[in-house]
Amino acid sequence: MTQTRPLGAQISHMLKDRGVDVIFGIPGVHNQEMYRGIEEAGITHVLARHEQGAGFMADGYARATGNPGVAYVITGPGLTNIMTPMGQAYSDSVPMLVISSCLDETVATKGQLHQMKDQRAAAETVCDWSEEARTAKAAYVLIDRALTEFQTARPKSKHIQVPISVLQQLAPPAPSQPLSVSRVVPAPGVIAALVSALEGADRPLFIFGGGAADALPPEEVGAVLKAFGAASFTTYAGRGIVPHDAPLHFGSTLARPSSAEVLAKADVTVVIGTELAEVDTWRDTSGISGEIWRIDIDATNLSSVPQNGCALKLTAEEVLGDLHDSVQDRSMVAQTAWQASKVADMRAQWRAEVDAERPGIVPVCDALRDCLPEGTMIYSDMTQFAYTAKEVWDMDRPGHWHHPTGFGTLGYATPAAIGGAVARKGKPTMAIIGDYGFHYTMQELGVAVELGLPLPIILWDNGKLKEIEESMVRAQIAPNAVVARNPDFCKLAEAFGAHAAAPKTLSDMQTKVRAAFDANGPTLIYLTPDISNAK
């Protein structure tokens, strides 16, 4: 006998049946029916301090696990508060599902609590799609549609809203979970043509983006590159895909202006899992001039391939897996025009450029990297420390550094790292955030304390919006509105019940960071630029 329940409760049971174990959110009178079934279904709920925090936590959880991050929010302001995380998840290809309540009607009745002119349409501006479920059947269909699309297409945030009265109505359980969807295997001729192009190239080159992070282990990617004598770049999101010590690897340095000259030398370039967007190269054109092969699951990214190229709507795993199989039996390493010594010289030059642009940060990055436990997952914010680190910090595995790259919001790192730490119990997770960005979501520190998460939060305090100040100076604008009065961040952390430390030397910083991973709660580690000069 099937058990009828209010739809709000059935939704939680459906999500549990589909593999959802954690929901982030804040209850309210409008969405309380969605909370009726959470505990009964066996789902853990994480209570955020603000819906923006809930959204970033869901984002961080999704990036850590590869599974959808789910958030419950209320009508009106609950949804508008989470729209910034929705926009971030949309631009960074993160599977986030936001389920909200909504008013039963907004045409004949005005002045209702949390009323908006068009809540559904507002959400649609920052996510893949936003739909209203007016029946239990519609809610179930939309949830399965979202979960299926997360698996079979480029994952992006999605929103489902359900009228309050519909959440309250008794409903049958959701239907059985649909069959998993398998992807089409590429035709052997396609891979053979790519192999032929790479074998005939004088300077073959691969560019890996975040969409290739889970394709193959780094050592197997390295074997593919070695077999073809190919050089490589990664985007910031793609760091760790290529072994950092691969002799022909240029690193995550696409934003260096002179990288365009390197890209122009390649006669065959294979671009996998990246838009090569403005936030990847920071110039109008990439510099690629030779034959280009683009592999992506998003057809939008394939439309710009020139006539001397080839666009393949395939996953990175499919293509790289077949390429790896094709070179398994090769005993000879291909000899191409790339030279390891010149690649090393180029990387050294670019590292020096980064150090000159933001003096004093590179040594701190090096010291911090060297003291982290193996497998640490990092969530960073819009701060000069992260901008520097993304170019000079080599990762030993993919998918372990997460940054709000596209939408570029402040305040991401702290709550996203909380979501990641919830997903990675027993595994090291760390946040890196600037003083101004910390203001945006500092209240979520209370969640980390409440959950007892051993989370180091590296707070880089340069006392201002320094990146903006420098941009204003370059534009010959008198820098104003770039300095805000900061609190005593250590005392603030302690007021929340967190640990705090303000190391004065790099060695002391390393000691405090190591201890933070073993603490019984989060530790705010306060750093200023002075630490790079301390003895």
Side-chain angles (χ1 to χ4, degrees):
M1 181 177 179
T2 59
Q3 182 179 0
T4 60
R5 301 182 180 91
L7 176 60
Q10 295 287 30
I11 287 173
S12 292
H13 281 272
M14 177 185 185
L15 291 171
K16 178 65 175 179
D17 290 342
R18 302 308 195 250
V20 175
D21 294 318
V22 180
I23 290 173
F24 304 88
I26 301 176
V29 292
H30 279 191
N31 71 343
Q32 63 187 16
E33 284 295 338
M34 293 157 60
Y35 282 75
R36 184 186 293 275
I38 289 181
E39 291 187 10
E40 185 182 72
I43 292 176
T44 298
H45 181 270
V46 176
L47 177 63
R49 300 304 187 258
H50 188 283
E51 287 90 357
Q52 180 172 256
F56 287 143
M57 290 176 200
D59 174 299
Y61 180 92
R63 297 195 200 210
T65 62
N67 299 321
V70 180
Y72 282 176
V73 298
I74 62 165
T75 316
L79 183 65
T80 57
N81 284 341
I82 205 172
M83 281 172 61
T84 295
M86 289 168 66
Q88 190 63 63
Y90 177 84
S91 66
D92 283 358
S93 303
V94 177
M96 179 196 295
L97 176 60
V98 174
I99 303 179
S100 75
S101 54
C102 66
L103 295 170
D104 295 324
E105 66 85 21
T106 58
V107 176
T109 307
K110 301 298 181 184
Q112 301 175 83
L113 179 65
H114 303 328
Q115 186 163 6
M116 293 177 64
K117 291 177 66 177
D118 194 336
Q119 175 178 295
R120 186 210 61 78
E124 193 168 47
T125 63
V126 291
C127 66
D128 190 21
W129 50 257
S130 173
E131 300 288 356
E132 181 172 331
R134 298 176 185 173
T135 64
K137 180 181 179 180
Y140 300 153
V141 167
L142 287 169
I143 289 171
D144 273 336
R145 174 187 168 191
L147 298 179
T148 299
E149 289 178 6
F150 288 148
Q151 296 179 42
T152 60
R154 183 179 179 183
K156 295 183 178 183
S157 54
K158 306 173 195 297
H159 167 243
I160 300 169
Q161 64 181 34
V162 187
I164 298 166
S165 64
V166 177
L167 289 170
Q168 296 169 341
Q169 292 172 8
L170 291 177
S176 300
Q177 186 168 356
L179 294 174
S180 59
V181 181
S182 59
R183 300 187 62 85
V184 178
V185 177
V190 171
I191 299 302
L194 176 55
V195 169
S196 178
L198 290 167
E199 288 177 334
D202 189 44
R203 290 180 184 268
L205 177 71
F206 281 74
I207 301 175
F208 299 97
D214 299 322
L216 288 181
E219 60 271 18
E220 294 184 12
V221 173
V224 171
L225 296 172
K226 187 176 181 180
F228 292 112
S232 58
F233 282 89
T234 68
T235 65
Y236 301 138
R239 282 181 299 156
I241 293 174
V242 179
H244 64 84
D245 57 354
L248 298 180
H249 184 44
F250 286 100
S252 55
T253 51
L254 288 168
R256 292 291 100 199
S258 54
S259 71
E261 299 171 13
V262 176
L263 295 176
K265 293 178 181 178
D267 49 351
V268 174
T269 302
V270 184
V271 180
I272 306 181
T274 173
E275 292 177 301
L276 280 185
E278 177 190 74
V279 292
D280 295 315
T281 64
W282 294 108
R283 52 181 177 264
D284 294 335
T285 59
S286 65
I288 299 173
S289 59
E291 179 183 338
I292 182 170
W293 288 69
R294 257 197 109 157
I295 293 114
D296 210 294
I297 59 174
D298 188 343
T300 304
N301 294 337
L302 303 175
S303 61
S304 60
V305 174
Q307 288 186 341
N308 66 331
C310 183
L312 303 179
K313 192 174 186 295
L314 297 168
T315 67
E317 182 180 9
E318 290 162 347
V319 173
L320 287 173
D322 282 356
L323 285 177
H324 184 259
D325 291 344
S326 75
V327 302
Q328 283 277 58
D329 299 328
R330 299 190 184 191
S331 56
M332 298 293 291
V333 177
Q335 298 298 313
T336 62
W338 298 114
Q339 296 180 32
S341 60
K342 291 188 176 181
V343 172
D345 290 345
M346 202 77 250
R347 291 201 65 172
Q349 175 186 319
W350 288 335
R351 178 182 170 90
E353 288 177 7
V354 173
D355 192 28
E357 289 170 3
R358 299 188 178 101
I361 299 180
V362 169
V364 186
C365 289
D366 291 343
L368 181 58
R369 180 196 60 224
D370 291 345
C371 75
L372 298 184
E374 184 179 359
T376 298
M377 185 168 284
I378 299 168
Y379 293 83
S380 61
D381 213 87
M382 303 296 284
T383 170
Q384 287 194 326
F385 192 99
Y387 305 154
T388 300
K390 288 190 300 176
E391 294 197 74
V392 302
W393 188 315
D394 290 320
M395 300 295 291
D396 64 356
R397 65 197 70 195
H400 275 62
W401 188 302
H402 305 293
H403 186 79
T405 300
F407 210 40
T409 178
L410 283 160
Y412 168 81
T414 302
I418 291 171
V422 167
R424 292 165 47 81
K425 293 177 180 176
K427 297 180 180 180
T429 305
M430 183 176 76
I432 297 173
I433 195 165
D435 58 305
Y436 204 84
F438 189 71
H439 281 271
Y440 277 55
T441 51
M442 67 172 71
Q443 69 275 4
E444 305 305 341
L445 190 58
V447 180
V449 171
E450 195 170 82
L451 299 177
L453 300 175
L455 177 69
I457 300 172
I458 309 300
L459 195 156
W460 181 254
D461 184 3
N462 54 23
K464 60 181 67 176
L465 288 163
K466 190 168 176 58
E467 188 76 4
I468 309 306
E469 179 186 63
E470 292 175 356
S471 178
M472 286 179 165
V473 171
R474 287 194 298 269
Q476 297 184 340
I477 299 170
N480 55 66
V482 294
V483 178
R485 181 183 177 87
N486 282 331
D488 184 321
F489 287 113
C490 289
K491 288 182 179 178
L492 178 69
E494 291 168 351
F496 273 104
H499 306 287
K504 301 300 183 184
T505 66
L506 294 180
S507 176
D508 190 25
M509 176 195 73
Q510 292 178 319
T511 300
K512 296 294 193 298
V513 170
R514 292 189 192 103
F517 285 107
D518 296 322
N520 60 354
T523 304
L524 187 142
I525 298 175
Y526 178 77
L527 305 179
T528 69
D530 293 338
I531 194 170
S532 63
N533 299 317
K535 302 297 183 183

